[in-house]
Amino acid sequence: MRDENKKENDLMEKIVSLCKRRGFVFQGSEIYGGLAGMYDYGHYGVALRDNIKELWWKRFVDDREDMYGLDSAILMNQKVWQASGHARGFADMLVDCTKCKRRFRVDHLKNKEVCPECGGKLSEARQFYMMLETHLGTVHDEASLSYLRPETAQGMFVNFKNVVDSFHPKLPFGIAQIGKAFRNEIAPRDFIFRLRELEQMEIEYFVRPTDWEKYFEEFRTQMHEWIKDIGLQKSHVHEIEITDEDRAHYSKRTIDFEFDFPFGQKELYGLAYRTNYDLTAHKLEYQDEETKSRIVPHVIEPSFGLDRTFLAILSDAYTEDELNGEVRSYLKLSPSVAPVKVAVFPLLKNKPELITKAREVYIILKKLIGAVEFDDNGNIGKRYRRQDEIGTPFCVVIDFDTLTNDTVTVRDRDTGEQERVKVGELIEFIRNKIN
Ligand code: GAP
């Protein structure tokens, strides 16, 4: 068991180190010693996140006819949070160790009386509010109080009437939003797993009260399809039915989708049946033309953490093997999420004729595929290693044969095998492979 734990810690260390070395994720405020629960995303991190968001938007908004996009403000009137129950209810139960003074969330402890770190006695549990507060304007008083939203969901509920008035949707329909959320987590940890500033991709799907089970099941299937889209291993995802006592205050049924992260099986996504709790709280209704009555629709909420998606993808993609007698580490990313799809190299960096031809090929690919890099730094082996580590599925090399017969080699990241392809057929060849 101890060896297993060590292997898992090693894997996490390798992922964190690759993320920094290759410009995916940096510690927030690093030059000032960091800030707990905050991370900054670098060039390849931004690209990977954008790819995840784009795929999500395509599956859940663009490919459907019943979904409306939204980008609501992070700060909202404090009455939103009073009505939703967050202002008094968004809290964790917390205990302190009377000996080593460490602090723990009660729901994370197996033994609620003994400190898991030093064996000391734990204090009585007390509430710890997770809403981050701020004040708007010059006066710091109750009236100027606002909260950084802890979920994107409320922005969608308070815009329910706007969406109905603008688009006149028929039930069932959904509102979708991607955006930042903030939680004053007691113990931010495990790299980008538990953050204080996080990003969510959420849907509030409004249904007739009697239809909730049907759409709950539909989204359950859709969430598994999404997990396939981003290339996560099916066997690493586990559904957990959340018990009555552990469910959020607004939910009548919740399934967590847990993932085998390197540090253990932990929540990746949630699917909740929020009943008509939120629309009732905000005093919102819907005129149902089918039944000619005013009703309060019920809500199915699939909720996806973007940062946890990012970490799950990296955990599944990180691979070590031996290629041509050399040990290498690489990211076996699905081409759909890879930050760079193709890299183009001249075989040698001091041959102007190779560089000119390589740049010609690069410009054609860049125009049509977009996420393409040119690299003539260092020897070719080093260039392959660099692209392998950022998960680039294909490397195109321009060599002396290219100058005579207009063909290039295309190297596959996972097998290291190379194929010769005509420049005129390159785009189609790569597009077929990516798709
Ligand atoms: N609107 C419902 C809601 O916010 P949640 O289970 O609290 O539900 C939804 O959060 C998702 O947001 C989680 O499944 C997870 O992916 C992500 N998430 C929640 N807290 C997080 C944190 N502190 N750091 C990173 N991601 C988090």
Side-chain angles (χ1 to χ4, degrees), residues 1-15 260-265:
M1 189 61 191
R2 196 174 257 173
D3 281 353
E4 262 316 290
N5 282 348
K6 187 173 171 333
K7 242 186 2 211
E8 284 161 0
N9 289 342
D10 282 356
L11 173 59
M12 207 48 215
E13 266 172 37
K14 284 173 180 170
I15 291 173
D260 294 326
F261 287 100
F263 40 84
Q265 184 181 319

Side-chain angles (χ1 to χ4, degrees), residues 208-226:
R208 292 193 179 83
T210 46
D211 288 343
W212 78 266
E213 274 162 316
K214 175 177 165 203
Y215 292 107
F216 191 92
E217 286 308 317
E218 219 166 77
F219 275 106
R220 189 177 185 174
T221 309
Q222 283 280 310
M223 289 174 86
H224 283 291
E225 290 296 312
W226 159 255

Side-chain angles (χ1 to χ4, degrees), residues 97-104 115 117-121:
C97 173
T98 51
K99 195 167 153 205
C100 73
K101 309 293 176 211
R102 282 202 178 84
R103 204 161 261 187
F104 305 94
C115 172
E117 297 290 336
C118 75
K121 189 173 159 16

